[in-house]
PDB file of all heavy atoms in Angstrom:
ATOM      1  N   ASN A   1     -18.645  73.708  21.655  1.00  0.00           N
ATOM      2  CA  ASN A   1     -18.562  74.335  20.337  1.00  0.00           C
ATOM      3  C   ASN A   1     -19.920  74.489  19.664  1.00  0.00           C
ATOM      4  O   ASN A   1     -20.012  74.665  18.451  1.00  0.00           O
ATOM      5  CB  ASN A   1     -17.623  73.538  19.421  1.00  0.00           C
ATOM      6  CG  ASN A   1     -18.044  72.081  19.277  1.00  0.00           C
ATOM      7  OD1 ASN A   1     -18.725  71.539  20.136  1.00  0.00           O
ATOM      8  ND2 ASN A   1     -17.633  71.457  18.180  1.00  0.00           N
ATOM      9  N   VAL A   2     -21.004  74.424  20.449  1.00  0.00           N
ATOM     10  CA  VAL A   2     -22.368  74.514  19.910  1.00  0.00           C
ATOM     11  C   VAL A   2     -23.087  75.722  20.513  1.00  0.00           C
ATOM     12  O   VAL A   2     -23.082  75.921  21.729  1.00  0.00           O
ATOM     13  CB  VAL A   2     -23.172  73.234  20.210  1.00  0.00           C
ATOM     14  CG1 VAL A   2     -24.622  73.383  19.737  1.00  0.00           C
ATOM     15  CG2 VAL A   2     -22.525  72.030  19.548  1.00  0.00           C
ATOM     16  N   SER A   3     -23.693  76.518  19.644  1.00  0.00           N
ATOM     17  CA  SER A   3     -24.565  77.601  20.107  1.00  0.00           C
ATOM     18  C   SER A   3     -25.945  77.397  19.491  1.00  0.00           C
ATOM     19  O   SER A   3     -26.086  76.736  18.459  1.00  0.00           O
ATOM     20  CB  SER A   3     -24.004  78.973  19.701  1.00  0.00           C
ATOM     21  OG  SER A   3     -23.916  79.073  18.283  1.00  0.00           O
ATOM     22  N   TYR A   4     -26.952  77.960  20.141  1.00  0.00           N
ATOM     23  CA  TYR A   4     -28.332  77.796  19.687  1.00  0.00           C
ATOM     24  C   TYR A   4     -28.896  79.146  19.273  1.00  0.00           C
ATOM     25  O   TYR A   4     -28.710  80.149  19.962  1.00  0.00           O
ATOM     26  CB  TYR A   4     -29.190  77.173  20.787  1.00  0.00           C
ATOM     27  CG  TYR A   4     -28.709  75.792  21.190  1.00  0.00           C
ATOM     28  CD1 TYR A   4     -27.894  75.623  22.316  1.00  0.00           C
ATOM     29  CD2 TYR A   4     -29.047  74.671  20.448  1.00  0.00           C
ATOM     30  CE1 TYR A   4     -27.435  74.369  22.690  1.00  0.00           C
ATOM     31  CE2 TYR A   4     -28.588  73.412  20.809  1.00  0.00           C
ATOM     32  CZ  TYR A   4     -27.786  73.261  21.925  1.00  0.00           C
ATOM     33  OH  TYR A   4     -27.325  72.018  22.279  1.00  0.00           O
ATOM     34  N   CYS A   5     -29.582  79.143  18.158  1.00  0.00           N
ATOM     35  CA  CYS A   5     -30.169  80.372  17.617  1.00  0.00           C
ATOM     36  C   CYS A   5     -31.680  80.191  17.560  1.00  0.00           C
ATOM     37  O   CYS A   5     -32.185  79.321  16.837  1.00  0.00           O
ATOM     38  CB  CYS A   5     -29.605  80.651  16.223  1.00  0.00           C
ATOM     39  SG  CYS A   5     -30.301  82.124  15.434  1.00  0.00           S
ATOM     40  N   SER A   6     -32.396  80.991  18.337  1.00  0.00           N
ATOM     41  CA  SER A   6     -33.848  80.896  18.382  1.00  0.00           C
ATOM     42  C   SER A   6     -34.466  81.643  17.200  1.00  0.00           C
ATOM     43  O   SER A   6     -34.120  82.792  16.931  1.00  0.00           O
ATOM     44  CB  SER A   6     -34.366  81.477  19.699  1.00  0.00           C
ATOM     45  OG  SER A   6     -35.769  81.516  19.699  1.00  0.00           O
ATOM     46  N   ILE A   7     -35.351  80.976  16.490  1.00  0.00           N
ATOM     47  CA  ILE A   7     -36.062  81.591  15.364  1.00  0.00           C
ATOM     48  C   ILE A   7     -37.351  82.193  15.903  1.00  0.00           C
ATOM     49  O   ILE A   7     -38.355  81.500  16.104  1.00  0.00           O
ATOM     50  CB  ILE A   7     -36.386  80.554  14.265  1.00  0.00           C
ATOM     51  CG1 ILE A   7     -35.117  79.890  13.753  1.00  0.00           C
ATOM     52  CG2 ILE A   7     -37.180  81.202  13.138  1.00  0.00           C
ATOM     53  CD1 ILE A   7     -34.194  80.791  12.985  1.00  0.00           C
ATOM     54  N   ASP A   8     -37.330  83.488  16.188  1.00  0.00           N
ATOM     55  CA  ASP A   8     -38.512  84.157  16.720  1.00  0.00           C
ATOM     56  C   ASP A   8     -39.492  84.436  15.594  1.00  0.00           C
ATOM     57  O   ASP A   8     -39.146  85.045  14.582  1.00  0.00           O
ATOM     58  CB  ASP A   8     -38.113  85.475  17.394  1.00  0.00           C
ATOM     59  CG  ASP A   8     -37.211  85.243  18.591  1.00  0.00           C
ATOM     60  OD1 ASP A   8     -37.487  84.310  19.351  1.00  0.00           O
ATOM     61  OD2 ASP A   8     -36.216  85.994  18.730  1.00  0.00           O
ATOM     62  N   LYS A   9     -40.711  83.983  15.795  1.00  0.00           N
ATOM     63  CA  LYS A   9     -41.725  84.142  14.749  1.00  0.00           C
ATOM     64  C   LYS A   9     -43.100  84.145  15.395  1.00  0.00           C
ATOM     65  O   LYS A   9     -43.269  83.824  16.566  1.00  0.00           O
ATOM     66  CB  LYS A   9     -41.625  83.013  13.732  1.00  0.00           C
ATOM     67  CG  LYS A   9     -41.781  81.631  14.324  1.00  0.00           C
ATOM     68  CD  LYS A   9     -41.548  80.561  13.296  1.00  0.00           C
ATOM     69  CE  LYS A   9     -41.769  79.182  13.890  1.00  0.00           C
ATOM     70  NZ  LYS A   9     -43.094  79.023  14.491  1.00  0.00           N
ATOM     71  N   LYS A  10     -44.102  84.480  14.589  1.00  0.00           N
ATOM     72  CA  LYS A  10     -45.477  84.449  15.076  1.00  0.00           C
ATOM     73  C   LYS A  10     -45.931  83.004  15.241  1.00  0.00           C
ATOM     74  O   LYS A  10     -45.542  82.133  14.463  1.00  0.00           O
ATOM     75  CB  LYS A  10     -46.397  85.164  14.081  1.00  0.00           C
ATOM     76  CG  LYS A  10     -46.090  86.635  13.890  1.00  0.00           C
ATOM     77  CD  LYS A  10     -46.996  87.233  12.844  1.00  0.00           C
ATOM     78  CE  LYS A  10     -46.671  88.706  12.613  1.00  0.00           C
ATOM     79  NZ  LYS A  10     -47.513  89.288  11.540  1.00  0.00           N
ATOM     80  N   HIS A  11     -46.749  82.780  16.261  1.00  0.00           N
ATOM     81  CA  HIS A  11     -47.292  81.434  16.457  1.00  0.00           C
ATOM     82  C   HIS A  11     -48.470  81.240  15.516  1.00  0.00           C
ATOM     83  O   HIS A  11     -49.385  82.051  15.473  1.00  0.00           O
ATOM     84  CB  HIS A  11     -47.747  81.244  17.903  1.00  0.00           C
ATOM     85  CG  HIS A  11     -48.402  79.913  18.133  1.00  0.00           C
ATOM     86  ND1 HIS A  11     -47.687  78.732  18.143  1.00  0.00           N
ATOM     87  CD2 HIS A  11     -49.704  79.584  18.313  1.00  0.00           C
ATOM     88  CE1 HIS A  11     -48.510  77.727  18.344  1.00  0.00           C
ATOM     89  NE2 HIS A  11     -49.743  78.220  18.451  1.00  0.00           N
ATOM     90  N   ARG A  12     -48.449  80.171  14.755  1.00  0.00           N
ATOM     91  CA  ARG A  12     -49.542  79.859  13.838  1.00  0.00           C
ATOM     92  C   ARG A  12     -50.178  78.542  14.237  1.00  0.00           C
ATOM     93  O   ARG A  12     -49.532  77.665  14.794  1.00  0.00           O
ATOM     94  CB  ARG A  12     -49.026  79.793  12.400  1.00  0.00           C
ATOM     95  CG  ARG A  12     -48.437  81.111  11.911  1.00  0.00           C
ATOM     96  CD  ARG A  12     -47.903  80.982  10.495  1.00  0.00           C
ATOM     97  NE  ARG A  12     -47.265  82.205  10.039  1.00  0.00           N
ATOM     98  CZ  ARG A  12     -47.898  83.197   9.446  1.00  0.00           C
ATOM     99  NH1 ARG A  12     -49.199  83.120   9.254  1.00  0.00           N
ATOM    100  NH2 ARG A  12     -47.254  84.280   9.045  1.00  0.00           N
ATOM    101  N   THR A  13     -51.455  78.412  13.923  1.00  0.00           N
ATOM    102  CA  THR A  13     -52.169  77.202  14.305  1.00  0.00           C
ATOM    103  C   THR A  13     -51.945  76.075  13.310  1.00  0.00           C
ATOM    104  O   THR A  13     -52.159  74.913  13.630  1.00  0.00           O
ATOM    105  CB  THR A  13     -53.680  77.484  14.403  1.00  0.00           C
ATOM    106  OG1 THR A  13     -54.138  78.033  13.157  1.00  0.00           O
ATOM    107  CG2 THR A  13     -53.969  78.481  15.515  1.00  0.00           C
ATOM    108  N   ASN A  14     -51.497  76.396  12.104  1.00  0.00           N
ATOM    109  CA  ASN A  14     -51.287  75.371  11.090  1.00  0.00           C
ATOM    110  C   ASN A  14     -49.806  75.000  11.038  1.00  0.00           C
ATOM    111  O   ASN A  14     -48.943  75.859  10.857  1.00  0.00           O
ATOM    112  CB  ASN A  14     -51.756  75.887   9.712  1.00  0.00           C
ATOM    113  CG  ASN A  14     -51.715  74.806   8.661  1.00  0.00           C
ATOM    114  OD1 ASN A  14     -50.644  74.351   8.258  1.00  0.00           O
ATOM    115  ND2 ASN A  14     -52.885  74.390   8.197  1.00  0.00           N
ATOM    116  N   ASP A  15     -49.498  73.711  11.189  1.00  0.00           N
ATOM    117  CA  ASP A  15     -48.110  73.257  11.243  1.00  0.00           C
ATOM    118  C   ASP A  15     -47.349  73.578   9.962  1.00  0.00           C
ATOM    119  O   ASP A  15     -46.147  73.849  10.004  1.00  0.00           O
ATOM    120  CB  ASP A  15     -48.065  71.750  11.496  1.00  0.00           C
ATOM    121  CG  ASP A  15     -48.471  71.402  12.916  1.00  0.00           C
ATOM    122  OD1 ASP A  15     -48.466  72.313  13.760  1.00  0.00           O
ATOM    123  OD2 ASP A  15     -48.806  70.232  13.167  1.00  0.00           O
ATOM    124  N   ILE A  16     -48.028  73.521   8.820  1.00  0.00           N
ATOM    125  CA  ILE A  16     -47.351  73.778   7.544  1.00  0.00           C
ATOM    126  C   ILE A  16     -46.920  75.235   7.452  1.00  0.00           C
ATOM    127  O   ILE A  16     -45.777  75.535   7.084  1.00  0.00           O
ATOM    128  CB  ILE A  16     -48.261  73.409   6.355  1.00  0.00           C
ATOM    129  CG1 ILE A  16     -48.654  71.931   6.427  1.00  0.00           C
ATOM    130  CG2 ILE A  16     -47.547  73.701   5.040  1.00  0.00           C
ATOM    131  CD1 ILE A  16     -47.492  70.964   6.438  1.00  0.00           C
ATOM    132  N   TYR A  17     -47.811  76.171   7.800  1.00  0.00           N
ATOM    133  CA  TYR A  17     -47.426  77.583   7.823  1.00  0.00           C
ATOM    134  C   TYR A  17     -46.272  77.791   8.803  1.00  0.00           C
ATOM    135  O   TYR A  17     -45.353  78.568   8.556  1.00  0.00           O
ATOM    136  CB  TYR A  17     -48.614  78.458   8.229  1.00  0.00           C
ATOM    137  CG  TYR A  17     -49.685  78.588   7.180  1.00  0.00           C
ATOM    138  CD1 TYR A  17     -51.026  78.427   7.512  1.00  0.00           C
ATOM    139  CD2 TYR A  17     -49.371  78.892   5.867  1.00  0.00           C
ATOM    140  CE1 TYR A  17     -52.027  78.555   6.556  1.00  0.00           C
ATOM    141  CE2 TYR A  17     -50.352  79.019   4.901  1.00  0.00           C
ATOM    142  CZ  TYR A  17     -51.680  78.848   5.254  1.00  0.00           C
ATOM    143  OH  TYR A  17     -52.655  78.966   4.306  1.00  0.00           O
ATOM    144  N   ASP A  18     -46.337  77.094   9.923  1.00  0.00           N
ATOM    145  CA  ASP A  18     -45.332  77.230  10.982  1.00  0.00           C
ATOM    146  C   ASP A  18     -43.941  76.837  10.473  1.00  0.00           C
ATOM    147  O   ASP A  18     -42.960  77.566  10.645  1.00  0.00           O
ATOM    148  CB  ASP A  18     -45.730  76.338  12.160  1.00  0.00           C
ATOM    149  CG  ASP A  18     -45.311  76.926  13.490  1.00  0.00           C
ATOM    150  OD1 ASP A  18     -45.152  78.161  13.574  1.00  0.00           O
ATOM    151  OD2 ASP A  18     -45.147  76.156  14.441  1.00  0.00           O
ATOM    152  N   ILE A  19     -43.846  75.678   9.839  1.00  0.00           N
ATOM    153  CA  ILE A  19     -42.542  75.206   9.379  1.00  0.00           C
ATOM    154  C   ILE A  19     -42.039  76.008   8.185  1.00  0.00           C
ATOM    155  O   ILE A  19     -40.839  76.262   8.053  1.00  0.00           O
ATOM    156  CB  ILE A  19     -42.582  73.688   9.053  1.00  0.00           C
ATOM    157  CG1 ILE A  19     -41.145  73.153   8.920  1.00  0.00           C
ATOM    158  CG2 ILE A  19     -43.389  73.396   7.801  1.00  0.00           C
ATOM    159  CD1 ILE A  19     -41.075  71.633   8.866  1.00  0.00           C
ATOM    160  N   LEU A  20     -42.957  76.471   7.324  1.00  0.00           N
ATOM    161  CA  LEU A  20     -42.539  77.308   6.191  1.00  0.00           C
ATOM    162  C   LEU A  20     -41.943  78.617   6.679  1.00  0.00           C
ATOM    163  O   LEU A  20     -40.905  79.074   6.179  1.00  0.00           O
ATOM    164  CB  LEU A  20     -43.725  77.575   5.261  1.00  0.00           C
ATOM    165  CG  LEU A  20     -44.110  76.448   4.310  1.00  0.00           C
ATOM    166  CD1 LEU A  20     -45.438  76.763   3.621  1.00  0.00           C
ATOM    167  CD2 LEU A  20     -43.025  76.211   3.266  1.00  0.00           C
ATOM    168  N   GLU A  21     -42.579  79.217   7.674  1.00  0.00           N
ATOM    169  CA  GLU A  21     -42.053  80.474   8.224  1.00  0.00           C
ATOM    170  C   GLU A  21     -40.710  80.225   8.909  1.00  0.00           C
ATOM    171  O   GLU A  21     -39.773  81.015   8.766  1.00  0.00           O
ATOM    172  CB  GLU A  21     -43.049  81.068   9.205  1.00  0.00           C
ATOM    173  CG  GLU A  21     -42.615  82.441   9.724  1.00  0.00           C
ATOM    174  CD  GLU A  21     -43.620  83.056  10.672  1.00  0.00           C
ATOM    175  OE1 GLU A  21     -44.471  82.317  11.204  1.00  0.00           O
ATOM    176  OE2 GLU A  21     -43.548  84.270  10.895  1.00  0.00           O
ATOM    177  N   PHE A  22     -40.614  79.131   9.654  1.00  0.00           N
ATOM    178  CA  PHE A  22     -39.360  78.774  10.322  1.00  0.00           C
ATOM    179  C   PHE A  22     -38.232  78.642   9.301  1.00  0.00           C
ATOM    180  O   PHE A  22     -37.136  79.183   9.485  1.00  0.00           O
ATOM    181  CB  PHE A  22     -39.548  77.459  11.078  1.00  0.00           C
ATOM    182  CG  PHE A  22     -38.293  76.913  11.695  1.00  0.00           C
ATOM    183  CD1 PHE A  22     -37.871  77.331  12.946  1.00  0.00           C
ATOM    184  CD2 PHE A  22     -37.531  75.963  11.026  1.00  0.00           C
ATOM    185  CE1 PHE A  22     -36.714  76.820  13.522  1.00  0.00           C
ATOM    186  CE2 PHE A  22     -36.374  75.441  11.590  1.00  0.00           C
ATOM    187  CZ  PHE A  22     -35.963  75.867  12.834  1.00  0.00           C
ATOM    188  N   GLU A  23     -38.478  77.911   8.213  1.00  0.00           N
ATOM    189  CA  GLU A  23     -37.439  77.681   7.210  1.00  0.00           C
ATOM    190  C   GLU A  23     -37.078  78.965   6.466  1.00  0.00           C
ATOM    191  O   GLU A  23     -35.917  79.166   6.089  1.00  0.00           O
ATOM    192  CB  GLU A  23     -37.895  76.605   6.232  1.00  0.00           C
ATOM    193  CG  GLU A  23     -37.961  75.222   6.880  1.00  0.00           C
ATOM    194  CD  GLU A  23     -38.498  74.142   5.971  1.00  0.00           C
ATOM    195  OE1 GLU A  23     -38.998  74.478   4.874  1.00  0.00           O
ATOM    196  OE2 GLU A  23     -38.418  72.962   6.337  1.00  0.00           O
ATOM    197  N   PHE A  24     -38.059  79.845   6.264  1.00  0.00           N
ATOM    198  CA  PHE A  24     -37.788  81.118   5.600  1.00  0.00           C
ATOM    199  C   PHE A  24     -36.864  81.989   6.451  1.00  0.00           C
ATOM    200  O   PHE A  24     -35.864  82.527   5.966  1.00  0.00           O
ATOM    201  CB  PHE A  24     -39.108  81.849   5.332  1.00  0.00           C
ATOM    202  CG  PHE A  24     -38.939  83.201   4.697  1.00  0.00           C
ATOM    203  CD1 PHE A  24     -38.614  83.316   3.357  1.00  0.00           C
ATOM    204  CD2 PHE A  24     -39.095  84.359   5.448  1.00  0.00           C
ATOM    205  CE1 PHE A  24     -38.444  84.570   2.771  1.00  0.00           C
ATOM    206  CE2 PHE A  24     -38.921  85.603   4.877  1.00  0.00           C
ATOM    207  CZ  PHE A  24     -38.596  85.716   3.525  1.00  0.00           C
ATOM    208  N   ILE A  25     -37.174  82.084   7.747  1.00  0.00           N
ATOM    209  CA  ILE A  25     -36.346  82.884   8.652  1.00  0.00           C
ATOM    210  C   ILE A  25     -34.979  82.236   8.836  1.00  0.00           C
ATOM    211  O   ILE A  25     -33.942  82.907   8.885  1.00  0.00           O
ATOM    212  CB  ILE A  25     -37.054  83.085  10.008  1.00  0.00           C
ATOM    213  CG1 ILE A  25     -38.363  83.841   9.818  1.00  0.00           C
ATOM    214  CG2 ILE A  25     -36.152  83.844  10.982  1.00  0.00           C
ATOM    215  CD1 ILE A  25     -39.218  83.923  11.068  1.00  0.00           C
TER     216      ILE A  25
END
């Protein structure tokens, strides 16, 4: 009963930008 959804985004070098973009998408 579990499916996985990949959050496709640009790769960033800064972890904070990375997680903010992930959470926005």
Side-chain angles (χ1 to χ4, degrees):
N1 57 336
V2 176
S3 61
Y4 299 98
C5 178
S6 174
I7 302 292
D8 297 318
K9 58 185 183 56
K10 297 177 182 177
H11 176 72
R12 298 178 183 272
T13 56
N14 187 291
D15 288 343
I16 301 302
Y17 288 133
D18 213 25
I19 194 169
L20 281 171
E21 185 178 18
F22 174 85
E23 291 176 351
F24 178 75
I25 298 172

